[in-house]
Amino acid sequence: MGIRDVFAQNLKTLRLARGLSQEELAHRAEVDRTYISSLERCVYGASIDVVDRLAAVLGVEAADLLKRTPEQSGS
Amino acid sequence: MGIRDVFAQNLKTLRLARGLSQEELAHRAEVDRTYISSLERCVYGASIDVVDRLAAVLGVEAADLLKRTPEQSGS
Protein backbone atom coordinates (compact mmCIF):
# COMPACT_ATOMS: atom_id res chain seq x y z
CA MET A 1 0.00 0.00 0.00
CA GLY A 2 1.47 3.33 -1.06
CA ILE A 3 2.05 6.21 1.32
CA ARG A 4 -0.79 8.27 -0.18
CA ASP A 5 -3.23 5.46 0.57
CA VAL A 6 -1.90 5.10 4.10
CA PHE A 7 -2.25 8.83 4.70
CA ALA A 8 -5.69 8.98 3.08
CA GLN A 9 -6.99 6.12 5.21
CA ASN A 10 -5.56 7.49 8.45
CA LEU A 11 -6.86 10.97 7.68
CA LYS A 12 -10.38 9.79 6.96
CA THR A 13 -10.47 7.40 9.93
CA LEU A 14 -9.34 10.10 12.37
CA ARG A 15 -11.58 12.75 10.82
CA LEU A 16 -14.63 10.53 11.24
CA ALA A 17 -13.53 9.49 14.75
CA ARG A 18 -13.53 13.20 15.66
CA GLY A 19 -16.96 13.64 14.10
CA LEU A 20 -15.66 16.19 11.61
CA SER A 21 -16.94 16.76 8.09
CA GLN A 22 -14.42 17.47 5.32
CA GLU A 23 -15.68 21.08 5.42
CA GLU A 24 -15.10 21.45 9.13
CA LEU A 25 -11.63 19.88 9.04
CA ALA A 26 -10.70 22.08 6.07
CA HIS A 27 -11.94 25.18 7.87
CA ARG A 28 -9.98 24.41 11.04
CA ALA A 29 -6.78 23.54 9.16
CA GLU A 30 -7.23 26.53 6.84
CA VAL A 31 -7.18 24.57 3.61
CA ASP A 32 -9.80 24.19 0.91
CA ARG A 33 -12.55 21.61 1.35
CA THR A 34 -11.82 20.16 -2.08
CA TYR A 35 -8.21 19.69 -1.00
CA ILE A 36 -9.25 17.42 1.89
CA SER A 37 -11.43 15.49 -0.51
CA SER A 38 -8.49 15.13 -2.92
CA LEU A 39 -6.16 13.96 -0.17
CA GLU A 40 -8.65 11.30 0.91
CA ARG A 41 -8.77 10.14 -2.72
CA CYS A 42 -4.94 10.07 -3.00
CA VAL A 43 -4.92 12.68 -5.77
CA TYR A 44 -2.00 14.63 -4.30
CA GLY A 45 1.06 13.87 -2.23
CA ALA A 46 0.50 16.26 0.66
CA SER A 47 3.41 18.33 1.90
CA ILE A 48 4.60 17.69 5.43
CA ASP A 49 3.45 21.22 6.33
CA VAL A 50 -0.15 20.26 5.50
CA VAL A 51 0.22 16.88 7.24
CA ASP A 52 1.35 18.69 10.37
CA ARG A 53 -1.51 21.18 10.27
CA LEU A 54 -4.11 18.46 9.82
CA ALA A 55 -2.50 16.40 12.60
CA ALA A 56 -2.70 19.38 14.97
CA VAL A 57 -6.43 19.79 14.27
CA LEU A 58 -6.97 16.06 14.77
CA GLY A 59 -4.99 16.03 18.01
CA VAL A 60 -2.27 13.64 16.86
CA GLU A 61 1.37 13.86 15.74
CA ALA A 62 2.20 14.27 12.05
CA ALA A 63 3.97 10.89 12.20
CA ASP A 64 0.70 9.22 13.26
CA LEU A 65 -0.92 10.15 9.96
CA LEU A 66 1.79 8.30 8.00
CA LYS A 67 1.81 5.21 10.19
CA ARG A 68 1.01 1.94 8.50
CA THR A 69 -1.39 -0.23 10.46
CA PRO A 70 -0.67 -3.99 10.48
CA GLU A 71 -3.37 -4.44 7.82
CA GLN A 72 -1.81 -1.73 5.63
CA SER A 73 1.65 -3.30 5.91
CA GLY A 74 0.47 -6.78 4.96
CA SER A 75 1.21 -8.09 1.47
CA MET B 1 10.09 22.88 16.75
CA GLY B 2 8.34 22.92 13.36
CA ILE B 3 7.77 19.81 11.28
CA ARG B 4 10.38 20.86 8.71
CA ASP B 5 13.03 21.02 11.43
CA VAL B 6 11.97 17.65 12.83
CA PHE B 7 12.15 16.08 9.37
CA ALA B 8 15.47 17.78 8.55
CA GLN B 9 17.06 16.59 11.78
CA ASN B 10 15.80 13.01 11.44
CA LEU B 11 16.86 12.88 7.80
CA LYS B 12 20.37 14.08 8.49
CA THR B 13 20.81 11.89 11.57
CA LEU B 14 19.72 8.74 9.73
CA ARG B 15 21.69 9.62 6.61
CA LEU B 16 24.88 9.98 8.63
CA ALA B 17 24.09 6.84 10.65
CA ARG B 18 23.95 4.95 7.34
CA GLY B 19 27.23 6.52 6.26
CA LEU B 20 25.63 8.14 3.22
CA SER B 21 26.62 11.44 1.64
CA GLN B 22 23.88 13.76 0.37
CA GLU B 23 24.94 12.75 -3.15
CA GLU B 24 24.60 9.04 -2.45
CA LEU B 25 21.23 9.39 -0.74
CA ALA B 26 19.98 11.59 -3.59
CA HIS B 27 21.17 9.08 -6.15
CA ARG B 28 19.48 6.13 -4.44
CA ALA B 29 16.21 8.00 -3.87
CA GLU B 30 16.31 9.43 -7.40
CA VAL B 31 16.15 13.07 -6.39
CA ASP B 32 18.58 15.91 -6.95
CA ARG B 33 21.51 16.35 -4.54
CA THR B 34 20.60 20.01 -4.02
CA TYR B 35 17.10 18.90 -3.02
CA ILE B 36 18.47 16.80 -0.14
CA SER B 37 20.58 19.75 0.92
CA SER B 38 17.50 22.00 0.81
CA LEU B 39 15.43 19.56 2.85
CA GLU B 40 18.13 19.40 5.51
CA ARG B 41 18.06 23.21 5.64
CA CYS B 42 14.22 23.29 5.91
CA VAL B 43 13.87 25.22 2.65
CA TYR B 44 10.97 23.11 1.38
CA GLY B 45 8.10 21.18 2.90
CA ALA B 46 8.74 17.77 1.34
CA SER B 47 5.81 15.87 -0.11
CA ILE B 48 4.92 12.57 1.55
CA ASP B 49 5.93 10.80 -1.68
CA VAL B 50 9.51 12.05 -1.24
CA VAL B 51 9.44 11.30 2.49
CA ASP B 52 8.43 7.73 1.70
CA ARG B 53 11.15 7.30 -0.93
CA LEU B 54 13.86 8.62 1.39
CA ALA B 55 12.57 6.43 4.22
CA ALA B 56 12.78 3.35 1.99
CA VAL B 57 16.43 4.10 1.14
CA LEU B 58 17.21 4.68 4.82
CA GLY B 59 15.45 1.46 5.87
CA VAL B 60 12.78 3.09 8.03
CA GLU B 61 9.09 3.91 7.78
CA ALA B 62 7.96 7.30 6.44
CA ALA B 63 6.40 7.98 9.85
CA ASP B 64 9.80 7.59 11.51
CA LEU B 65 11.15 10.61 9.62
CA LEU B 66 8.39 12.83 11.07
CA LYS B 67 8.68 11.57 14.63
CA ARG B 68 9.56 14.14 17.25
CA THR B 69 12.22 12.98 19.69
CA PRO B 70 11.71 13.94 23.35
CA GLU B 71 14.23 16.78 22.86
CA GLN B 72 12.36 18.05 19.80
CA SER B 73 9.03 18.00 21.64
CA GLY B 74 10.33 19.89 24.65
CA SER B 75 9.42 23.55 25.15
Side-chain angles (χ1 to χ4, degrees):
Chain A
M1 175 175 272
I3 195 69
R4 290 192 192 186
D5 303 273
V6 171
F7 174 66
Q9 234 178 58
N10 290 342
L11 180 64
K12 188 169 183 179
T13 302
L14 273 165
R15 177 175 66 72
L16 296 176
R18 303 288 183 267
L20 295 174
S21 64
Q22 291 184 337
E23 281 85 352
E24 186 59 31
L25 175 59
H27 177 71
R28 294 194 195 178
E30 298 182 348
V31 298
D32 198 82
R33 202 276 305 169
T34 59
Y35 190 56
I36 301 290
S37 164
S38 298
L39 292 179
E40 290 188 358
R41 285 177 295 116
C42 309
V43 177
Y44 304 119
S47 80
I48 59 173
D49 303 328
V50 167
V51 173
D52 197 50
R53 231 149 68 206
L54 292 169
V57 171
L58 294 166
V60 296
E61 292 288 321
D64 296 326
L65 287 176
L66 298 190
K67 240 175 230 159
R68 285 177 164 84
T69 64
E71 300 82 52
Q72 289 168 347
S73 301
S75 64
Chain B
M1 176 174 274
I3 193 70
R4 290 191 191 187
D5 302 274
V6 171
F7 174 65
Q9 234 177 58
N10 291 341
L11 180 63
K12 187 168 185 180
T13 302
L14 274 165
R15 177 175 66 72
L16 296 176
R18 302 290 183 264
L20 295 174
S21 64
Q22 290 184 339
E23 282 85 353
E24 186 58 31
L25 175 60
H27 177 70
R28 295 194 194 178
E30 299 183 346
V31 299
D32 198 81
R33 203 276 306 169
T34 60
Y35 190 57
I36 301 290
S37 163
S38 298
L39 292 178
E40 291 188 357
R41 286 178 293 117
C42 308
V43 177
Y44 304 119
S47 80
I48 59 173
D49 303 328
V50 167
V51 173
D52 197 50
R53 230 149 68 207
L54 292 170
V57 172
L58 295 166
V60 297
E61 291 288 320
D64 295 325
L65 287 175
L66 298 189
K67 239 175 229 160
R68 285 177 165 83
T69 64
E71 299 81 54
Q72 289 168 348
S73 301
S75 64

